[in-house]
Amino acid sequence: MSKINIRNTDLNLLVAFDALYSERSVTRAASRLSLTQPTVSGMLKRLRETFDDDLFVRTSHGIVPTPRADGIASRVADLLEEIGLLLVSDDFDPGRSSFTARICGSDYLQHTILGSFTEKVFLAAPHARVSILPRPADGVAGQLERGEIDLILSDRELAVPDLPARILYKDGFVCLSSYGNFEEGEEIALDRLCSLDHAFVDPTGGSFRGPIDDTLAAAGRERNVVLAVPTFAMLLQMMKSKSLLAFVPGRIAETFDHGFSRIRTPLELPYLEIVASWHPRMTRDPKHRWLRETLVSVANA
């Protein structure tokens, strides 16, 4: 390998390398960098000369990195992050800053914390924009890495592995009943619990099984889930027209004025541990730190 003279190296080439490595396409890298495709192709040629390696090989599906490119990719990303931190002030003034915060969270989190979080952001940062996004089916880690999502909120069991995470709060389940013959606080026997009709929330609306079913299975029991819906708002609306039992997180039960009886069960119910996750490159970013602290303050209010 030839020795690289840093004085003769354009650091913009490293930015191009990072984009090419992430996008695996000259066209998409050019779009990400707001440059023309020929310009990025020229930068790739200079990168090859600088590193004395092809770095990326063209295929019918785009470009694939060589072992040399794989070997330097993480170090290039770290270097660009450090340079970025050098070029921005450590101070962040939300009152004077214009920015967009992109937060990903389920229907449950939109009702319990993200509304209050958005209100607090707007109060402190009047020039900000906030985008609340549903959790994508896949590709979350890549979206965090590319800055398409700032934070993702989820139950710890659903959090992306190996990413920094901070616990926001814990939430236990409660059982709500729209059956007319239950009084508030009444305890239901396990046999009767399993014999009645249940409703369940799944973001896809396609699953009839959740943490409560695992708890029942451990006791050798099974409940009769007849309804699966994608949101808690829809669940509570459906319970107004049909007699159902539903296990919902406590914060949801407190958020909605539902009018249903809260009943006790003999089950040792599981709980949710809600965490916020982000990409490691954003850990020391002043704006991102402020967003995380704002989220924590709302969660603990």
Side-chain angles (χ1 to χ4, degrees):
M1 182 185 69
S2 60
K3 187 175 181 179
I4 298 174
N5 187 339
I6 190 67
R7 289 178 297 178
N8 297 329
T9 302
D10 182 355
L11 292 180
N12 286 318
L13 295 179
L14 299 183
V15 178
F17 172 89
D18 186 63
L20 288 163
Y21 191 84
S22 297
E23 301 293 343
R24 307 297 167 95
S25 162
V26 173
T27 300
R28 290 195 297 271
S31 177
R32 174 173 166 176
L33 298 171
S34 299
L35 297 173
T36 65
Q37 185 172 337
T39 297
V40 175
S41 294
M43 296 175 83
L44 176 55
K45 180 180 178 181
R46 292 168 61 195
L47 278 164
R48 286 167 169 162
E49 294 170 351
T50 299
F51 287 95
D52 194 24
D53 187 89
D54 286 337
L55 295 178
F56 300 95
V57 178
R58 296 185 185 277
T59 71
S60 59
H61 302 292
I63 56 175
V64 295
T66 65
R68 172 70 169 139
D70 283 331
I72 66 174
S74 63
R75 285 177 287 172
V76 169
D78 290 344
L79 177 61
L80 292 176
E81 179 186 358
E82 291 296 326
I83 292 173
L85 291 173
L86 286 173
L87 298 177
V88 298
S89 170
D90 287 336
D91 297 327
F92 173 70
D93 183 354
R96 297 184 177 183
S97 300
S98 298
F99 61 91
T100 300
R102 297 176 175 86
I103 315 296
C104 184
S106 66
D107 161 67
Y108 158 70
L109 291 159
Q110 291 166 26
H111 285 298
T112 58
I113 188 172
L114 288 176
S116 298
F117 166 77
T118 301
E119 291 175 4
K120 192 160 187 175
V121 168
F122 287 152
L123 186 64
H127 306 295
R129 300 189 304 173
V130 178
S131 177
I132 305 297
L133 307 164
R135 183 187 177 104
D138 51 36
V140 172
Q143 288 180 276
L144 286 167
E145 182 178 359
R146 293 190 296 272
E148 296 168 5
I149 298 173
D150 292 303
L151 288 161
I152 179 165
L153 278 57
S154 69
D155 182 25
R156 182 177 286 280
E157 292 187 1
L158 299 177
V160 181
D162 302 322
L163 289 181
R166 184 164 182 178
I167 297 175
L168 299 178
Y169 63 87
K170 295 181 180 180
D171 196 3
F173 283 91
V174 299
C175 185
L176 298 182
S177 169
S178 60
Y179 283 89
N181 54 348
F182 283 104
E183 295 183 1
E184 180 74 17
E186 180 179 346
E187 182 165 355
I188 184 173
L190 194 54
D191 286 342
R192 191 178 182 197
L193 174 75
C194 293
S195 69
L196 298 177
D197 291 342
H198 289 248
F200 173 67
V201 172
D202 178 76
T204 67
S207 173
F208 289 86
R209 186 177 182 85
I212 303 301
D213 300 282
D214 295 334
T215 300
L216 285 167
R221 300 300 185 96
E222 184 178 359
R223 62 175 174 162
N224 184 36
V225 180
V226 299
L227 174 68
V229 295
T231 69
F232 284 101
M234 185 176 183
L235 169 76
L236 297 173
Q237 181 63 37
M238 293 298 298
M239 290 180 71
K240 294 178 180 178
S241 60
K242 178 175 172 56
S243 294
L244 293 163
L245 296 182
F247 286 89
V248 303
R251 289 204 179 196
I252 284 290
E254 295 169 1
T255 298
F256 286 90
D257 183 17
H258 49 75
F260 305 126
S261 299
R262 185 182 300 201
I263 60 176
R264 295 183 295 118
T265 79
L267 294 171
E268 186 175 342
L269 297 176
Y271 63 86
L272 302 172
E273 186 174 65
I274 303 303
V275 301
S277 303
W278 62 92
H279 194 273
R281 69 186 184 86
M282 303 305 295
T283 297
R284 291 179 288 176
D285 179 75
K287 181 198 76 177
H288 204 276
R289 283 202 306 264
W290 180 82
L291 287 173
R292 298 197 302 268
E293 293 304 321
T294 301
L295 192 58
V296 169
S297 69
V298 169
N300 294 326

